[in-house]
């Protein structure tokens, strides 16, 4: 039998890393996530380099052993695709007041905004988006769950594209429960509400809710949504 040596002169680095991360972490689940919730993790895919002295070279490292890793709890959901499930991503050090964000869009691994909010102690909450689109009662239930568990009664609404339109619709229906709206390339159209957000922006203006849009020059809805909406506000 031929024994092929490991590629590193000193494999201690790998052995130590495995030993360090194999210890189970005993932690109590947060009150909002009972035993039916599935626990996973959310973390950046950024790479970095560490110097290997014995090798006199650098190794590329990535993953939860080298970047902040956040617990993510997902409710069971129903149906084949569990489209009515919701997820909550928990910061390492929650900010005072248990601040949180409604984030109906997909949570990308390279979302600099989400990672920055988590680092500042915000909870990221992904409400259900079923096959028929966003349903206000489901979002209302998520809001009630969070507030009943001591979270802030004012939530930040986020969203990209059409999901931003749903965040607008919920904010218009609940202006007293929203602290701000942040949207990327928004399409101000909603399946949640019969009255479209573009026709109801006065509600947000009257409530004094600050709004920020992040739009690129290739945004197809820039002219008819962000600019027209900005004029209405």
């Amino acid at each position: 039998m031929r024994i092929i040596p490991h590629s590193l002169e000193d494999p201690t680095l790998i052995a130590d890393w495995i030993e360090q991360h194999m210890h189970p972490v005993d932690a109590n689940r947060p009150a909002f996530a009972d035993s039916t919730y599935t626990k996973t993790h959310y973390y950046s895919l950024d790479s970095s380099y560490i110097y290997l002295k014995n090798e006199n070279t650098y190794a590329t490292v990535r993953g939860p052993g080298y970047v902040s890793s956040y617990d993510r709890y997902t409710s069971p959901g129903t149906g084949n695709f569990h489209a009515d499930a919701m997820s909550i991503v928990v910061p390492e050090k929650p900010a005072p007041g248990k601040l949180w964000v409604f984030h109906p869009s997909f949570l990308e691994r390279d979302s600099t905004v989400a990672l920055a909010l988590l680092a500042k102690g915000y909870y990221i909450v992904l409400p259900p988006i079923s096959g028929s689109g966003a349903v206000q009662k489901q979002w209302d239930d998520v809001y009630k769950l969070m507030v009943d568990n001591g979270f802030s009664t004012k939530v930040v609404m986020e969203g990209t594209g059409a999901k931003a339109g749903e965040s607008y619709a919920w904010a218009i229906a609940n202006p007293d429960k929203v602290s701000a709206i942040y949207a990327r390339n928004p399409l101000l159209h909603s399946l949640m509400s019969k009255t479209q957000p573009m026709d109801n922006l006065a509600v947000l203006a009257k409530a004094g809710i600050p709004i920020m849009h992040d739009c690129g020059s290739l945004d197809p809805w820039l002219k008819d949504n962000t600019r027209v909406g900005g004029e209405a506000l």
Side-chain angles (χ1 to χ4, degrees), residues 192-209:
M192 178 187 296
S193 174
K194 293 181 179 179
T195 303
Q196 294 306 306
M198 191 67 80
D199 300 325
N200 234 346
L201 295 177
V203 173
L204 304 178
K206 183 178 179 180
I209 296 174

PDB file of all heavy atoms in Angstrom, residues 192-209:
ATOM      1  N   MET A 192     -50.618  41.735  -2.904  1.00  0.00           N
ATOM      2  CA  MET A 192     -51.164  41.735  -1.555  1.00  0.00           C
ATOM      3  C   MET A 192     -52.356  42.676  -1.438  1.00  0.00           C
ATOM      4  O   MET A 192     -53.317  42.402  -0.708  1.00  0.00           O
ATOM      5  CB  MET A 192     -50.078  42.157  -0.551  1.00  0.00           C
ATOM      6  CG  MET A 192     -50.541  42.239   0.888  1.00  0.00           C
ATOM      7  SD  MET A 192     -49.289  42.937   1.994  1.00  0.00           S
ATOM      8  CE  MET A 192     -47.988  41.723   1.893  1.00  0.00           C
ATOM      9  N   SER A 193     -52.299  43.797  -2.168  1.00  0.00           N
ATOM     10  CA  SER A 193     -53.298  44.843  -2.010  1.00  0.00           C
ATOM     11  C   SER A 193     -54.024  45.105  -3.324  1.00  0.00           C
ATOM     12  O   SER A 193     -53.413  45.088  -4.394  1.00  0.00           O
ATOM     13  CB  SER A 193     -52.630  46.129  -1.520  1.00  0.00           C
ATOM     14  OG  SER A 193     -53.544  47.197  -1.497  1.00  0.00           O
ATOM     15  N   LYS A 194     -55.326  45.357  -3.247  1.00  0.00           N
ATOM     16  CA  LYS A 194     -56.097  45.705  -4.445  1.00  0.00           C
ATOM     17  C   LYS A 194     -55.722  47.095  -4.938  1.00  0.00           C
ATOM     18  O   LYS A 194     -55.731  47.369  -6.143  1.00  0.00           O
ATOM     19  CB  LYS A 194     -57.595  45.626  -4.143  1.00  0.00           C
ATOM     20  CG  LYS A 194     -58.096  44.218  -3.857  1.00  0.00           C
ATOM     21  CD  LYS A 194     -59.587  44.206  -3.599  1.00  0.00           C
ATOM     22  CE  LYS A 194     -60.085  42.780  -3.339  1.00  0.00           C
ATOM     23  NZ  LYS A 194     -61.552  42.751  -3.064  1.00  0.00           N
ATOM     24  N   THR A 195     -55.407  47.987  -4.010  1.00  0.00           N
ATOM     25  CA  THR A 195     -54.958  49.322  -4.376  1.00  0.00           C
ATOM     26  C   THR A 195     -53.444  49.305  -4.495  1.00  0.00           C
ATOM     27  O   THR A 195     -52.749  48.933  -3.552  1.00  0.00           O
ATOM     28  CB  THR A 195     -55.384  50.356  -3.311  1.00  0.00           C
ATOM     29  OG1 THR A 195     -56.798  50.314  -3.156  1.00  0.00           O
ATOM     30  CG2 THR A 195     -54.951  51.752  -3.738  1.00  0.00           C
ATOM     31  N   GLN A 196     -52.917  49.675  -5.650  1.00  0.00           N
ATOM     32  CA  GLN A 196     -51.493  49.580  -5.888  1.00  0.00           C
ATOM     33  C   GLN A 196     -50.719  50.646  -5.106  1.00  0.00           C
ATOM     34  O   GLN A 196     -51.227  51.759  -4.888  1.00  0.00           O
ATOM     35  CB  GLN A 196     -51.194  49.692  -7.381  1.00  0.00           C
ATOM     36  CG  GLN A 196     -51.733  48.524  -8.182  1.00  0.00           C
ATOM     37  CD  GLN A 196     -51.230  47.195  -7.612  1.00  0.00           C
ATOM     38  OE1 GLN A 196     -50.040  46.976  -7.442  1.00  0.00           O
ATOM     39  NE2 GLN A 196     -52.169  46.296  -7.302  1.00  0.00           N
ATOM     40  N   PRO A 197     -49.495  50.322  -4.649  1.00  0.00           N
ATOM     41  CA  PRO A 197     -48.710  51.260  -3.841  1.00  0.00           C
ATOM     42  C   PRO A 197     -48.547  52.634  -4.488  1.00  0.00           C
ATOM     43  O   PRO A 197     -48.615  53.658  -3.786  1.00  0.00           O
ATOM     44  CB  PRO A 197     -47.357  50.550  -3.707  1.00  0.00           C
ATOM     45  CG  PRO A 197     -47.686  49.105  -3.815  1.00  0.00           C
ATOM     46  CD  PRO A 197     -48.816  49.017  -4.794  1.00  0.00           C
ATOM     47  N   MET A 198     -48.359  52.667  -5.810  1.00  0.00           N
ATOM     48  CA  MET A 198     -48.151  53.951  -6.484  1.00  0.00           C
ATOM     49  C   MET A 198     -49.344  54.889  -6.299  1.00  0.00           C
ATOM     50  O   MET A 198     -49.190  56.113  -6.320  1.00  0.00           O
ATOM     51  CB  MET A 198     -47.900  53.715  -7.972  1.00  0.00           C
ATOM     52  CG  MET A 198     -47.413  54.944  -8.712  1.00  0.00           C
ATOM     53  SD  MET A 198     -45.763  55.460  -8.193  1.00  0.00           S
ATOM     54  CE  MET A 198     -44.778  54.290  -9.126  1.00  0.00           C
ATOM     55  N   ASP A 199     -50.530  54.317  -6.096  1.00  0.00           N
ATOM     56  CA  ASP A 199     -51.737  55.140  -5.925  1.00  0.00           C
ATOM     57  C   ASP A 199     -52.007  55.484  -4.472  1.00  0.00           C
ATOM     58  O   ASP A 199     -53.023  56.130  -4.176  1.00  0.00           O
ATOM     59  CB  ASP A 199     -52.952  54.391  -6.497  1.00  0.00           C
ATOM     60  CG  ASP A 199     -52.806  54.077  -7.968  1.00  0.00           C
ATOM     61  OD1 ASP A 199     -52.207  54.892  -8.693  1.00  0.00           O
ATOM     62  OD2 ASP A 199     -53.279  52.994  -8.396  1.00  0.00           O
ATOM     63  N   ASN A 200     -51.128  55.047  -3.575  1.00  0.00           N
ATOM     64  CA  ASN A 200     -51.398  55.217  -2.149  1.00  0.00           C
ATOM     65  C   ASN A 200     -50.195  55.758  -1.385  1.00  0.00           C
ATOM     66  O   ASN A 200     -50.118  55.595  -0.165  1.00  0.00           O
ATOM     67  CB  ASN A 200     -51.802  53.865  -1.538  1.00  0.00           C
ATOM     68  CG  ASN A 200     -53.143  53.932  -0.805  1.00  0.00           C
ATOM     69  OD1 ASN A 200     -53.643  55.015  -0.530  1.00  0.00           O
ATOM     70  ND2 ASN A 200     -53.701  52.784  -0.501  1.00  0.00           N
ATOM     71  N   LEU A 201     -49.247  56.364  -2.076  1.00  0.00           N
ATOM     72  CA  LEU A 201     -48.005  56.817  -1.437  1.00  0.00           C
ATOM     73  C   LEU A 201     -48.233  57.952  -0.440  1.00  0.00           C
ATOM     74  O   LEU A 201     -47.405  58.166   0.446  1.00  0.00           O
ATOM     75  CB  LEU A 201     -47.001  57.256  -2.502  1.00  0.00           C
ATOM     76  CG  LEU A 201     -46.509  56.148  -3.434  1.00  0.00           C
ATOM     77  CD1 LEU A 201     -45.568  56.715  -4.491  1.00  0.00           C
ATOM     78  CD2 LEU A 201     -45.805  55.045  -2.640  1.00  0.00           C
ATOM     79  N   ALA A 202     -49.357  58.639  -0.570  1.00  0.00           N
ATOM     80  CA  ALA A 202     -49.642  59.748   0.349  1.00  0.00           C
ATOM     81  C   ALA A 202     -49.719  59.267   1.796  1.00  0.00           C
ATOM     82  O   ALA A 202     -49.400  60.021   2.718  1.00  0.00           O
ATOM     83  CB  ALA A 202     -50.946  60.437  -0.049  1.00  0.00           C
ATOM     84  N   VAL A 203     -50.115  58.010   1.987  1.00  0.00           N
ATOM     85  CA  VAL A 203     -50.193  57.454   3.344  1.00  0.00           C
ATOM     86  C   VAL A 203     -48.811  57.446   3.992  1.00  0.00           C
ATOM     87  O   VAL A 203     -48.652  57.802   5.174  1.00  0.00           O
ATOM     88  CB  VAL A 203     -50.767  56.021   3.303  1.00  0.00           C
ATOM     89  CG1 VAL A 203     -50.697  55.379   4.684  1.00  0.00           C
ATOM     90  CG2 VAL A 203     -52.187  56.031   2.783  1.00  0.00           C
ATOM     91  N   LEU A 204     -47.800  57.056   3.217  1.00  0.00           N
ATOM     92  CA  LEU A 204     -46.429  57.015   3.743  1.00  0.00           C
ATOM     93  C   LEU A 204     -45.887  58.421   3.983  1.00  0.00           C
ATOM     94  O   LEU A 204     -45.182  58.667   4.964  1.00  0.00           O
ATOM     95  CB  LEU A 204     -45.524  56.248   2.775  1.00  0.00           C
ATOM     96  CG  LEU A 204     -45.958  54.820   2.440  1.00  0.00           C
ATOM     97  CD1 LEU A 204     -44.996  54.201   1.433  1.00  0.00           C
ATOM     98  CD2 LEU A 204     -46.029  53.970   3.705  1.00  0.00           C
ATOM     99  N   ALA A 205     -46.206  59.324   3.074  1.00  0.00           N
ATOM    100  CA  ALA A 205     -45.754  60.713   3.234  1.00  0.00           C
ATOM    101  C   ALA A 205     -46.363  61.331   4.491  1.00  0.00           C
ATOM    102  O   ALA A 205     -45.676  62.024   5.257  1.00  0.00           O
ATOM    103  CB  ALA A 205     -46.126  61.518   1.999  1.00  0.00           C
ATOM    104  N   LYS A 206     -47.640  61.082   4.709  1.00  0.00           N
ATOM    105  CA  LYS A 206     -48.316  61.628   5.890  1.00  0.00           C
ATOM    106  C   LYS A 206     -47.722  61.071   7.173  1.00  0.00           C
ATOM    107  O   LYS A 206     -47.602  61.775   8.181  1.00  0.00           O
ATOM    108  CB  LYS A 206     -49.810  61.312   5.819  1.00  0.00           C
ATOM    109  CG  LYS A 206     -50.614  61.895   6.978  1.00  0.00           C
ATOM    110  CD  LYS A 206     -52.096  61.584   6.823  1.00  0.00           C
ATOM    111  CE  LYS A 206     -52.891  62.158   7.990  1.00  0.00           C
ATOM    112  NZ  LYS A 206     -54.359  61.850   7.852  1.00  0.00           N
ATOM    113  N   ALA A 207     -47.311  59.787   7.137  1.00  0.00           N
ATOM    114  CA  ALA A 207     -46.730  59.155   8.331  1.00  0.00           C
ATOM    115  C   ALA A 207     -45.272  59.553   8.536  1.00  0.00           C
ATOM    116  O   ALA A 207     -44.684  59.225   9.570  1.00  0.00           O
ATOM    117  CB  ALA A 207     -46.850  57.638   8.213  1.00  0.00           C
ATOM    118  N   GLY A 208     -44.665  60.220   7.553  1.00  0.00           N
ATOM    119  CA  GLY A 208     -43.274  60.658   7.680  1.00  0.00           C
ATOM    120  C   GLY A 208     -42.278  59.520   7.670  1.00  0.00           C
ATOM    121  O   GLY A 208     -41.228  59.597   8.318  1.00  0.00           O
ATOM    122  N   ILE A 209     -42.584  58.455   6.927  1.00  0.00           N
ATOM    123  CA  ILE A 209     -41.696  57.290   6.875  1.00  0.00           C
ATOM    124  C   ILE A 209     -40.558  57.546   5.890  1.00  0.00           C
ATOM    125  O   ILE A 209     -40.805  57.792   4.706  1.00  0.00           O
ATOM    126  CB  ILE A 209     -42.485  56.035   6.449  1.00  0.00           C
ATOM    127  CG1 ILE A 209     -43.545  55.707   7.505  1.00  0.00           C
ATOM    128  CG2 ILE A 209     -41.548  54.850   6.254  1.00  0.00           C
ATOM    129  CD1 ILE A 209     -44.471  54.579   7.108  1.00  0.00           C
TER     130      ILE A 209
END
